[in-house]
Amino acid sequence: MEVAGFDSDGREFKNADEMWREHTGDDNKKNQWYRDGVGYWEGVEASVDGVLGGYGCVNDVDVKSSEAFLQTLFSELFVDGGIGRHLVALDCGSGIGRVTKNLLIRYFNEVDLLEPVSHFLDAARESLVHDNHMASDTHKATNFFCTPLQEFTPEAGRYDVIWVQWCIGHLTDDDFVSFFKRAKVGLKPGGFFVLKENTARSGFLLDKEDRSITRSDVYFQKLFSQCGLHLYKSKEQRGFPKELFVVKMYALTTDVPKKISKTRSKTQANKPGVIK
């Protein structure tokens, strides 16, 4: 990737390939990269403030913006807004189940969670299954996969939406592309991805502490092309503290989206009454 960038010590790399060669250029380095990344999060408290890097205050505005984006995608990409369908989602990098509990489980009949940090996933299971007295048979967390993104292959044709938030920065470019190519198989016909992630102003920034990379919008779009994905819609997150990275939401489809002609009901059955 011919984009220049920096690491968290201020060192400049003339392009991303130079940075990746240095940090993940052989199997030992690459394995260490992923061990260090998981190791960092294993030392973080399993709480909203912990998984949000001390910025638990952004939880509400994050969820509200994600919900508005998801509602728009439902109305535009699903016939009748998905009403009457058994909807299934995968929450990638789910952490303690924050996005599932506050958003996805209200719109999807089943949500699977994918998270490599075991004590986060244990907290998610406790919150969503054991402590959630409002849980129902029609909207529930179903599977809890303690597996890293780079090793996960979904069940073919299971998911309407695969939600990837604040975790893709831990993957190398090669594993980024490989993950999305495998994950595409997990989508139902007409299903789509939502990627919500920090973005750099240009190039990239490598965080040496947690072994993650913040990519620019241009960087992301080049990778999307390599994945064979089409950018359907993007939107910038508003309302976050100014010191944080700009966060963007991307809706990605496996085929060039076709406009759907439909008559929409005024009510939708699915309508509900440093960050990980």
Side-chain angles (χ1 to χ4, degrees):
M1 189 70 66
E2 292 302 317
V3 288
F6 296 85
D7 68 17
S8 49
D9 292 332
R11 177 186 168 185
E12 184 174 7
F13 295 89
K14 60 185 179 182
N15 56 51
D17 291 338
E18 178 187 22
M19 184 276 292
W20 289 123
R21 280 195 302 272
E22 178 168 320
H23 288 277
T24 64
D26 58 45
D27 288 344
N28 288 334
K29 287 182 177 180
K30 190 173 184 179
N31 290 336
Q32 191 62 49
W33 167 277
Y34 286 122
R35 281 196 298 269
D36 289 348
V38 172
Y40 171 84
W41 290 107
E42 284 176 342
V44 171
E45 178 185 76
S47 65
V48 171
D49 206 46
V51 298
L52 291 179
Y55 283 89
C57 59
V58 308
N59 179 67
D60 288 348
V61 68
D62 167 61
V63 171
K64 287 178 182 177
S65 295
S66 294
E67 182 167 17
F69 193 61
L70 184 62
Q71 286 176 342
T72 298
L73 297 173
F74 267 36
S75 67
E76 294 179 357
L77 292 175
F78 288 163
V79 175
D80 295 326
I83 293 172
R85 292 173 55 172
H86 183 87
L87 297 172
V88 184
L90 175 65
D91 182 1
C92 297
S94 61
I96 62 172
R98 182 186 69 87
V99 174
T100 291
K101 184 173 185 178
N102 292 299
L103 174 61
L104 299 179
I105 206 166
R106 295 190 283 117
Y107 283 82
F108 295 88
N109 302 102
E110 296 182 69
V111 183
D112 292 343
L113 287 80
L114 176 64
E115 170 58 51
V117 179
S118 59
H119 77 287
F120 285 171
L121 201 62
D122 289 342
R125 186 183 289 105
E126 191 71 22
S127 174
L128 291 162
V129 178
H130 301 300
D131 292 345
N132 187 9
H133 303 299
M134 299 299 291
S136 71
D137 291 334
T138 57
H139 289 267
K140 60 185 179 181
T142 303
N143 296 303
F144 296 81
F145 302 113
C146 192
T147 307
L149 287 179
Q150 71 275 11
E151 297 177 12
F152 182 74
T153 300
E155 176 187 336
R158 173 162 171 76
Y159 301 108
D160 296 278
V161 175
I162 295 179
W163 191 279
V164 187
Q165 181 166 353
W166 284 325
C167 61
I168 204 70
H170 288 288
L171 296 194
T172 66
D173 289 354
D174 287 346
D175 285 336
F176 180 114
V177 173
S178 177
F179 165 72
F180 276 106
K181 285 185 174 180
R182 291 193 314 277
K184 283 193 291 186
V185 179
L187 288 174
K188 297 177 185 177
F192 57 88
F193 294 98
V194 174
L195 175 66
K196 187 168 187 177
E197 192 55 75
N198 297 339
T199 59
R201 291 182 181 274
S202 63
F204 63 88
L205 178 64
L206 166 67
D207 188 326
K208 295 177 68 176
E209 183 180 17
D210 70 2
R211 290 296 189 267
S212 69
I213 178 176
T214 301
R215 300 171 170 99
S216 67
D217 178 70
V218 170
Y219 197 152
F220 272 124
Q221 296 206 42
K222 289 181 178 178
L223 289 177
F224 297 156
S225 179
Q226 292 178 32
C227 297
L229 294 172
H230 302 275
L231 178 59
Y232 173 72
K233 189 182 290 288
S234 65
K235 188 173 181 61
E236 188 173 307
Q237 169 74 49
R238 302 293 185 182
F240 277 8
K242 292 181 179 180
E243 67 268 22
L244 297 180
F245 284 111
V246 171
V247 172
K248 291 197 72 171
M249 295 174 278
Y250 299 95
L252 304 163
T253 60
T254 58
D255 299 307
V256 178
K258 298 177 182 178
K259 289 187 177 180
I260 300 173
S261 296
K262 58 181 182 289
T263 301
R264 291 183 55 204
S265 169
K266 290 183 179 180
T267 59
Q268 294 180 5
N270 289 309
K271 190 172 181 180
V274 216
I275 295 180
K276 180 173 175 65

